[in-house]
Amino acid sequence: MISKIETQKIKIKNQPSTDGTFWRGLGGHFSNLTQIISEFVDNSISGFVESPIPVANITVSIVRIANGDVKIKIIDNASGIKDLDSAFEIGSIKTKSSSLNEHGFGMKHALASANPNNNDWVITTRTIEDAHLNQYKVISAPYKFDDFEATLYDGADLESKTGTKIEFTVNRQLFKTIVAGLPGNYQALSSIVKILKEDLGYIYSAFIKNNIASIVIEFNEEGQEQEFEKVTAVEPQVEATIDPGNSQENIDLGDGNVVLEYKFSKINENPTYKKHYIKTMSTSGVEIRINGRLLADNLFKEIWGIEKHNSYNYLLVQIDIKSEYSNRLPKTTTSKTGLRQDDEKLSVLYEWIKKKLPTPKQDSKLSDHEIDLFKQLKDTKKPHIADTDIITLEQRAYTNLNEKIRIDFYLNQNNEIKIYEGKKDKTTPKDVYQLMMYWDGLVYDGINPDVGILIAAEHPKSVESIVELVNNRLDDNKRNYNFIMKTWNQEGIPYPN
């Protein structure tokens, strides 16, 4: 063994870069402006833990100026920023007052994301002590590690006795991320604000309906009259409760019990909303909140390990994990835009959900296309299939001609080959000849099908007559075609119910 002889210590310079690289790297953790604004709203709500005022009054002010940039202010009447050192220190949680202040990065992350050039943000704050002394403090860009100062002013720069005002300007590209991915042409300021209103009502629904927070959006084009939108709680339109219902229980996710409030529901599309609870693949599944604040939604495959499709769009599982002890809660990402997937507490939660609802049922009425019904048919038959059997939606015909025509559904069970041609609602004569093409293609490839099944919700008399006609014919192997007609219900798929 070679011995190690220490000769000296070499100092490593690891002071953050002052050329703007660090600030730009600190930002970029949010995918849209709503998430940035929500970080500041989190801080406002947290500020009411120590405030004598019972309701958090939060105003989001939006002014679009002539060049398309947008001036934004978030103003609250909370207790103000008491410890400026801790508030602006990267990673400090010394002033943590609730689960909304978990990491000590949020405000800095949000400022850096909103203003990557670190040249256009201002924070004004006034504590109870400041109010007694008739003063307030202002901190403004640039953020820096040396000679970073707040300025003390006499008087008041807030409408409320105490609170905080955060101001910054974003470019038009960042502003439009509020409506990113939504169909339609969102040019009018009012239309974009309505989506922001819906987002905030979704994220903070528990705080709004329980009168913990009141959020108002003020907006106008520069030089025009100001308009207002009061944020209301965004909630699903529940058709029915599904087992295990709505309740709560104590559960130990790790490091001690938390209260788990849960609702398992079948929902209807809510025409009031453009983005949330609209019964689509992107707005259903499992929603997780911590102490009322939305942290994750649209979870499905992460929990059940199966691909999501339209037949699950009815399902909404709402979980709210409550505890004043942060070490008992699942860990969030530093920007609070999700939950840490490597956290063991989250795995325990997923297992708890699976025990309550082992396998979500599919609602065939929501299938957009017969391919969804065939996927359900595969799921229905798969438990009865032996390892040596074949069940697939990817079997091809005429492969020897390099055509590779895909058969809707192929089943080789106990050496009996069944092939399917399907329609969601009603078959036509053309579908009979499509099934005949599958059959002939397999025969050409050296595979002899035993049964051809035409499947749909119903079959017209004309189709029945053509099936009878075809079954009197011979294929290239001098065997009769053997076509039968079935409905989805006959195959165990409840469509239509």
Side-chain angles (χ1 to χ4, degrees):
M1 181 177 178
I2 300 174
S3 61
K4 291 189 278 188
I5 302 173
E6 181 181 313
T7 58
Q8 68 177 96
K9 300 284 188 183
I10 301 173
K11 290 186 177 181
I12 298 173
K13 182 182 178 182
N14 63 342
Q15 187 74 9
S17 170
T18 58
D19 64 358
T21 305
F22 175 83
W23 182 256
R24 287 190 292 272
L26 185 63
H29 293 270
F30 301 92
S31 59
N32 56 62
L33 182 58
T34 299
Q35 294 175 349
I36 295 172
I37 292 173
S38 297
E39 185 61 57
F40 299 124
V41 173
D42 287 348
N43 291 342
S44 294
I45 293 174
S46 295
F48 279 82
V49 173
E50 300 174 354
S51 172
I53 301 171
V55 179
N57 291 314
I58 301 164
T59 300
V60 179
S61 171
I62 295 173
V63 179
R64 186 157 62 181
I65 57 182
N67 66 357
D69 290 351
V70 179
K71 294 181 178 180
I72 296 176
K73 299 178 187 178
I74 297 95
I75 309 163
D76 66 52
N77 63 333
S79 56
I81 303 174
K82 284 188 174 183
D83 187 343
L84 293 176
D85 290 344
S86 296
F88 285 92
E89 182 183 346
I90 303 294
S92 173
I93 56 172
K94 295 174 186 175
T95 56
K96 176 179 177 179
S97 54
S98 78
S99 59
L100 297 177
N101 305 120
E102 182 179 352
H103 303 287
F105 285 89
M107 183 176 73
K108 285 76 71 176
H109 270 163
L111 284 174
S113 297
N115 179 223
N117 292 327
N118 196 16
N119 64 349
D120 186 21
W121 58 265
V122 179
I123 297 177
T124 304
T125 190
R126 196 171 197 242
T127 65
I128 294 174
E129 291 78 6
D130 289 331
H132 289 323
L133 296 170
N134 191 32
Q135 64 186 25
Y136 64 95
K137 304 180 186 79
V138 176
I139 309 94
S140 58
Y143 181 96
K144 51 188 176 180
F145 295 96
D146 296 312
D147 302 321
F148 189 44
E149 297 175 329
T151 303
L152 193 64
Y153 291 90
D154 290 335
D157 190 37
L158 294 162
E159 292 183 10
S160 57
K161 182 178 180 181
T162 62
T164 299
K165 175 173 62 176
I166 297 173
E167 306 172 69
F168 52 89
T169 301
V170 302
N171 60 39
R172 69 177 74 193
Q173 288 82 11
L174 182 53
F175 184 65
K176 289 281 283 186
T177 60
I178 293 173
V179 294
L182 293 179
N185 184 21
Y186 289 88
Q187 297 297 329
L189 181 60
S190 60
S191 66
I192 300 174
V193 167
K194 286 184 185 298
I195 299 301
L196 176 61
K197 171 188 173 181
E198 186 176 323
D199 279 338
L200 295 176
Y202 178 57
I203 295 168
Y204 299 103
S205 60
F207 298 93
I208 295 168
K209 67 184 179 183
N210 291 320
N211 295 316
I212 297 171
S214 173
I215 305 174
V216 173
I217 304 175
E218 301 175 348
F219 63 99
N220 63 283
E221 303 281 357
E222 189 175 35
Q224 296 185 11
E225 186 176 348
Q226 196 173 62
E227 299 181 65
F228 301 86
E229 286 280 0
K230 184 173 176 60
V231 177
T232 54
V234 170
E235 298 186 279
Q237 194 173 90
V238 176
E239 177 184 329
T241 298
I242 61 176
D243 192 46
N246 303 344
S247 189
Q248 68 176 46
E249 64 180 70
N250 293 328
I251 180 174
D252 187 355
L253 300 175
D255 300 315
N257 279 355
V258 298
V259 175
L260 216 62
E261 292 186 355
Y262 59 87
K263 297 178 181 178
F264 286 69
S265 307
K266 181 177 184 180
I267 63 169
N268 288 321
E269 180 178 355
N270 194 327
T272 307
Y273 305 135
K274 299 287 188 182
K275 189 173 179 180
H276 303 290
Y277 299 137
I278 55 176
K279 203 176 180 179
T280 63
M281 286 176 64
S282 61
T283 64
S284 55
V286 177
E287 164 189 308
I288 299 175
R289 297 174 185 266
I290 292 181
N291 290 324
R293 206 278 198 191
L294 179 78
L295 265 305
D297 60 359
N298 196 222
L299 302 173
F300 193 85
K301 186 177 181 180
E302 298 91 334
I303 296 170
W304 289 288
I306 54 180
E307 294 292 341
K308 191 176 184 185
H309 54 77
N310 293 330
S311 59
Y312 296 111
N313 287 353
Y314 73 91
L315 178 66
L316 179 66
V317 178
Q318 296 172 285
I319 306 291
D320 193 357
I321 313 167
K322 297 188 173 183
S323 177
E324 60 185 61
Y325 302 103
S326 59
N327 64 310
R328 300 182 182 183
L329 299 166
K331 292 184 177 66
T332 66
T333 59
T334 52
S335 56
K336 291 201 292 295
T337 55
L339 295 167
R340 291 275 302 272
Q341 295 299 311
D342 60 342
D343 183 16
E344 182 61 30
K345 293 183 179 68
L346 189 60
S347 298
V348 174
L349 177 61
Y350 285 175
E351 288 301 319
W352 180 90
I353 295 171
K354 282 196 290 186
K355 285 181 181 178
K356 292 289 185 182
L357 184 63
T359 304
K361 294 180 180 179
Q362 296 172 302
D363 186 346
S364 302
K365 291 185 295 184
L366 300 177
S367 298
D368 282 344
H369 196 269
E370 55 267 9
I371 188 65
D372 293 325
L373 296 170
F374 276 122
K375 286 178 181 177
Q376 293 180 55
L377 181 61
K378 182 179 178 181
D379 292 342
T380 300
K381 291 186 177 293
K382 199 168 185 178
H384 310 289
I385 296 297
D387 292 340
T388 54
D389 295 333
I390 299 172
I391 181 170
T392 180
L393 279 68
E394 299 298 329
Q395 181 69 35
R396 308 287 169 163
Y398 284 115
T399 57
N400 288 336
L401 292 178
N402 294 319
E403 286 295 333
K404 299 183 179 179
I405 297 168
R406 189 183 66 81
I407 299 171
D408 281 357
F409 190 80
Y410 179 95
L411 176 63
N412 185 343
Q413 185 177 20
N414 298 324
N415 294 318
E416 182 184 45
I417 296 175
K418 297 179 180 179
I419 59 174
Y420 289 71
E421 161 66 10
K423 283 292 177 284
K424 183 181 176 185
D425 295 309
K426 184 187 292 188
T427 52
T428 67
K430 180 180 176 181
D431 300 317
V432 183
Y433 291 102
Q434 183 77 22
L435 182 61
M436 191 174 178
M437 182 178 65
Y438 295 158
W439 184 292
D440 291 343
L442 289 175
V443 170
Y444 188 86
D445 292 335
I447 300 172
N448 294 314
D450 296 290
V451 184
I453 299 172
L454 202 62
I455 188 169
E458 61 176 298
H459 303 282
K461 287 290 185 183
S462 60
V463 172
E464 292 181 20
S465 299
I466 293 174
V467 166
E468 184 178 352
L469 178 67
V470 170
N471 282 341
N472 287 321
R473 296 181 181 180
L474 301 178
D475 65 19
D476 286 348
N477 283 337
K478 308 303 181 186
R479 298 166 64 239
N480 280 98
Y481 293 99
N482 182 21
F483 292 175
I484 62 175
M485 292 170 291
K486 285 193 173 184
T487 65
W488 295 110
N489 278 293
Q490 287 173 332
E491 285 281 27
I493 307 301
Y495 178 81
N497 290 342

